[in-house]
Amino acid sequence: METLEGMKRTHHCGAVCENDVKKEVVLCGWVSRRRDHGGLIFVDLRDRSGLVQVVFAEDKLGADSFHKAETLRSEYVIAVRGLVSFRSEETINPHMETGKLEVYCEELRILNTAQTPPFYIQDNLDVDETLRLKYRYLDLRRPEMQKNLILRHRVTKIMRDYFDRNGFLEIETPMLTKSTPEGARDFLVPSRLNPGKFYALPQSPQIFKQILMLAGYEKYFQIVRCFRDEDLRADRQPEFTQIDVEMSFIDQEYILNTMEKMVVELFDKAIGKKIPEPFLRMTWQDAMDRFGSDKPDLRFGMELMDISEHVRGSEFKVFETVLQKGGQVKAIKVDGYADIPRRELDGLVEYVKNYGAKGLAWIQYTENEVKSPFKKFYSDETFQKIAEATGAQKGDLLLVVADKPLVVAQALGELRLEMGRRRNLIDPDKLCFLWVVDFPMFEYDEQDDRWKAMHHPFTMPCAEDIQYLKSDPGRVKAIAYDMVLNGVELGGGSLRIHDSELQEKVFEAVGLTPEQAHAKFGFMLNAFKYGTPPHGGIAFGLDRLIMLMAKRNSIRDVIAFPKTQSASCLMTQAPSEVDNKQLRELSIKSTIKHEKKETAE
């Protein structure tokens, strides 16, 4: 292979401009596309900045150099020296930033060859994601993937500048810490120097950032890796990146305003989107009542409407039994879809069952009549009152769920999103930001038969609700808040407890004995006794944020080296087995028995 000795790059491919015409340039990159027109070879040369067309003309290069150009194939790494020229009018490519220009090669060096890639290095690729992840180094070469990671870099740069201007300090916290299993499972790391003991990888720097407030640093932030051993989906990874923020001597209003201004600046500078201020605010209860979700997508309406009082007192046992047990009957209105095919209605029944509902009812207000599976149990007047209450007109469809309030919210909330997608009601270019506030402090876990912290046990309860911590935990609200964008939770936070006695009461409310609390968080409770300031903060999911800004459907497209849904890396084959010697050094033993491989006779 040839080298770059004596040939220094002067321009990136996508940076060649009209001011460079008639100038000599040196370019380096990958052969994206090659076209041989006999005596003329055209190559689209690519680097991370973009593409430019390079022309190899036999009459200018000479036979030997032209023969070298004939050997070029996709993904060869080359360097070229040549003159920039305007393309003729009829050959201008409007789809390339450099489409008016081309470079006539005077010298070609082949720096490396390449095998035929398993897929094309191009955008809008229709290939199985498994193959992309196996050959991630090739997938990352594609322009759209490079744009995603360049956007990620730009976003974190803007964030750091914003925080620095506003008096925040970036401080690192430990990767090897104490296991405090609350919520997701910890990733454990055995300690060789302390046999039988384990570190945990941090699910978040929560405890450490609170300690930093106690230590007097007042404003902290960190762009930090976090780890959770949980089931995966499009917006989850076992290792992810968090924008972690904490502040002292502040209130909720200060935190929300500070983070709102950061996000507005971020979208303006990174992708040129002007976001109106202030963001809409909505209580948790209002969000659940109206949208069935604590992260509602506000790009379209179709709100949940309670029709319980209109259907109460009938012989229709499905509704009546639910209402007598304290449940509710709610509906969403799908405009102009009374003619929905029956097979689609049957499919929607199965759809809501995935979210806990026992079934789905409906009312079709057609041009000539009202159709409903429960029509015989109610008068025409009742259906008219339901129409008036919901705003349903001829041609509209009501989809109805009856169950416990949380089941109705989840099932009907998910159905709302599904119908929004099917009816093309969601504008992909619209950005609807929202603060959800006044969360419940606790949620009841029926499986474990105990109350659990909805956010985490360090969240500050509202002052007027502290009296109910022991007697009625479900009544307690937290000074907690989430930022939501287009139905995705970007980040969440709270004011924190800074009093050790109150912290112990909250631990008691979630079922931790004083001994258990001190075993897990003793160092923190002790620290609180030495003058802890009022403080609070928030954490954003960087991967989700970039996913939305880049208009991608999965965070795997904005992470350089993500894991699959089985938490494995197809490129490096991690996780992998280790030999028994390593296990013995760590004083651990695997319970997995491997069958001995049969040897050939």
Side-chain angles (χ1 to χ4, degrees):
M1 295 297 103
E2 297 174 281
T3 70
L4 271 174
E5 186 176 353
M7 195 175 187
K8 185 177 180 180
R9 179 163 67 177
T10 62
H11 291 66
H12 283 88
C13 297
V16 176
C17 63
E18 294 183 18
N19 290 337
D20 298 316
V21 170
K22 296 184 179 180
K23 292 181 181 178
E24 183 178 87
V25 297
V26 175
L27 308 173
C28 300
W30 286 262
V31 174
S32 181
R33 187 179 172 212
R34 172 186 175 275
R35 304 174 300 284
D36 192 335
H37 289 198
L40 281 177
I41 294 173
F42 297 91
V43 163
D44 290 341
L45 188 63
R46 181 191 70 242
D47 62 18
R48 80 177 195 197
S49 67
L51 296 165
V52 69
Q53 178 170 281
V54 180
V55 183
F56 300 88
E58 185 174 13
D59 58 350
K60 291 187 177 181
L61 273 178
D64 291 342
S65 294
F66 188 76
H67 176 68
K68 188 196 298 185
E70 287 180 315
T71 68
L72 295 178
R73 296 293 180 268
S74 293
E75 301 312 307
Y76 275 32
V77 185
I78 65 173
V80 297
R81 180 174 56 81
L83 288 177
V84 181
S85 303
F86 281 113
R87 294 197 198 188
S88 60
E89 195 70 30
E90 64 275 10
T91 62
I92 289 175
N93 185 346
H95 303 297
M96 287 174 61
E97 291 289 331
T98 60
K100 293 182 179 181
L101 306 171
E102 57 192 4
V103 176
Y104 272 84
C105 180
E106 297 175 345
E107 180 182 359
L108 165 66
R109 296 190 190 181
I110 299 178
L111 306 177
N112 219 325
T113 59
Q115 297 180 12
T116 302
F119 49 78
Y120 293 113
I121 311 300
Q122 64 184 33
D123 290 345
N124 304 313
L125 194 63
D126 184 18
V127 65
D128 187 76
E129 189 184 35
T130 300
L131 193 64
R132 288 176 52 204
L133 292 176
K134 181 178 180 180
Y135 295 94
R136 190 61 166 182
Y137 41 84
L138 296 178
D139 190 39
L140 288 174
R141 230 181 251 179
R142 297 190 301 115
E144 62 183 354
M145 294 299 291
Q146 294 190 338
K147 288 176 184 176
N148 292 344
L149 295 188
I150 290 170
L151 173 62
R152 188 180 178 116
H153 160 77
R154 187 177 301 122
V155 165
T156 56
K157 173 68 166 60
I158 294 167
M159 282 179 178
R160 284 190 163 98
D161 290 344
Y162 176 85
F163 285 127
D164 182 62
R165 279 201 324 272
N166 285 277
F168 287 81
L169 301 174
E170 185 169 13
I171 303 173
E172 294 179 342
T173 52
M175 282 290 120
L176 298 176
T177 184
K178 182 181 176 67
S179 178
T180 55
E182 285 290 331
R185 296 182 186 89
D186 286 329
F187 279 103
L188 299 178
V189 180
S191 171
R192 180 181 61 83
L193 299 177
N194 300 276
K197 296 184 179 181
F198 295 81
Y199 300 104
L201 300 180
Q203 294 188 30
S204 81
Q206 182 63 46
I207 292 175
F208 290 103
K209 67 179 182 180
Q210 289 193 249
I211 293 290
L212 286 169
M213 296 303 100
L214 185 147
Y217 286 88
E218 297 197 11
K219 286 185 172 182
Y220 142 95
F221 85 99
Q222 186 180 186
I223 299 175
V224 60
R225 299 292 276 176
C226 300
F227 306 85
R228 292 179 188 172
D229 188 5
E230 59 187 349
D231 295 335
L232 307 183
R233 56 180 186 237
D235 60 348
R236 284 184 179 175
Q237 282 281 296
E239 51 181 326
F240 58 96
T241 304
Q242 187 168 289
I243 307 144
D244 206 45
V245 184
E246 200 78 3
M247 311 170 218
S248 295
F249 306 113
I250 43 75
D251 57 13
Q252 175 177 291
E253 197 66 26
Y254 184 91
I255 295 174
L256 268 55
N257 287 337
T258 300
M259 304 319 297
E260 200 168 292
K261 290 183 184 303
M262 182 203 74
V263 169
V264 168
E265 181 173 317
L266 197 59
F267 274 74
D268 183 17
K269 291 185 176 180
I271 61 174
K273 290 283 187 178
K274 302 290 184 182
I275 309 299
E277 296 180 83
F279 293 178
L280 179 67
R281 296 189 189 183
M282 186 182 297
T283 66
W284 178 88
Q285 191 63 59
D286 198 19
M288 297 298 291
D289 288 344
R290 293 171 57 191
F291 300 97
S293 171
D294 58 7
K295 47 181 184 296
D297 189 338
L298 303 184
R299 288 176 293 177
F300 68 108
M302 206 185 292
E303 295 187 19
L304 281 59
M305 294 172 284
D306 197 330
I307 61 171
S308 299
E309 294 310 311
H310 297 290
V311 297
R312 190 185 298 276
S314 77
E315 295 180 2
F316 187 47
K317 291 184 179 179
V318 173
F319 290 170
E320 197 61 25
T321 302
V322 164
L323 292 173
Q324 288 178 2
K325 292 182 179 179
Q328 57 187 194
V329 182
K330 282 192 168 184
I332 57 172
K333 178 170 66 75
V334 187
D335 294 341
Y337 206 34
D339 59 349
I340 181 173
R342 181 54 193 255
R343 66 180 180 278
E344 188 172 341
L345 278 171
D346 292 340
L348 294 178
V349 173
E350 296 305 313
Y351 184 85
V352 297
K353 287 181 179 179
N354 293 327
Y355 299 98
K358 298 178 181 65
L360 177 72
W362 57 85
I363 306 174
Q364 295 165 276
Y365 290 95
T366 69
E367 289 296 326
N368 301 316
E369 62 177 330
V370 174
K371 296 181 180 179
S372 175
F374 54 86
K375 184 178 180 181
K376 66 180 181 180
F377 296 99
Y378 296 94
S379 66
D380 291 343
E381 183 182 0
T382 297
F383 284 101
Q384 180 59 33
K385 287 182 178 179
I386 292 173
E388 292 172 0
T390 60
Q393 300 178 1
K394 288 185 177 181
D396 292 345
L397 168 72
L398 291 184
L399 297 172
V400 185
V401 173
D403 215 304
K404 298 176 184 177
L406 285 178
V407 173
V408 171
Q410 183 173 15
L412 210 50
E414 291 293 339
L415 183 60
R416 169 185 177 265
L417 294 174
E418 178 65 14
M419 295 311 297
R421 288 187 287 265
R422 293 190 187 187
R423 302 293 288 168
N424 296 317
L425 301 177
I426 303 174
D427 183 350
D429 295 321
K430 194 173 183 180
L431 297 172
C432 288
F433 284 89
L434 168 72
W435 283 110
V436 178
V437 297
D438 295 342
F439 277 79
M441 182 78 178
F442 307 103
E443 55 187 344
Y444 193 72
D445 188 324
E446 293 184 358
Q447 185 174 352
D448 292 344
D449 190 27
R450 69 180 181 93
W451 290 98
K452 290 185 176 181
M454 180 168 277
H455 277 72
H456 54 65
F458 310 111
T459 301
M460 176 71 79
C462 291
E464 62 270 22
D465 293 338
I466 291 175
Q467 59 184 313
Y468 304 115
L469 280 171
K470 192 169 185 177
S471 62
D472 191 2
R475 184 173 177 175
V476 181
K477 287 188 173 62
I479 307 176
Y481 35 83
D482 282 358
M483 185 187 286
V484 176
L485 170 59
N486 293 353
V488 177
E489 178 194 332
L490 286 184
S494 66
L495 295 191
R496 323 300 189 189
I497 297 169
H498 60 279
D499 175 81
S500 57
E501 289 185 12
L502 178 56
Q503 184 66 76
E504 288 176 350
K505 288 180 181 178
V506 172
F507 284 149
E508 182 182 357
V510 296
L512 288 177
T513 66
E515 293 76 21
Q516 289 173 324
H518 277 273
K520 291 182 176 182
F521 309 109
F523 67 95
M524 190 173 184
L525 295 174
N526 288 333
F528 279 173
K529 298 174 183 177
Y530 292 92
T532 306
H535 61 284
I538 192 168
F540 287 89
L542 179 64
D543 309 303
R544 290 184 187 178
L545 177 63
I546 304 299
M547 177 185 74
L548 292 172
M549 296 177 82
K551 297 183 178 180
R552 310 299 295 191
N553 294 321
S554 168
I555 60 172
R556 290 190 291 274
D557 283 343
V558 298
I559 298 172
F561 301 103
K563 304 291 189 294
T564 66
Q565 288 195 342
S566 61
S568 61
C569 174
L570 299 180
M571 185 182 73
T572 63
Q573 300 299 305
S576 60
E577 296 176 13
V578 297
D579 60 38
N580 287 327
K581 179 182 177 182
Q582 285 179 279
L583 294 179
R584 286 194 297 270
E585 287 176 343
L586 297 169
S587 302
I588 58 177
K589 184 177 181 180
S590 173
T591 60
I592 303 298
K593 294 181 180 180
H594 298 282
E595 295 181 5
K596 292 183 179 179
K597 294 180 180 180
E598 295 182 6
T599 55
E601 292 284 335

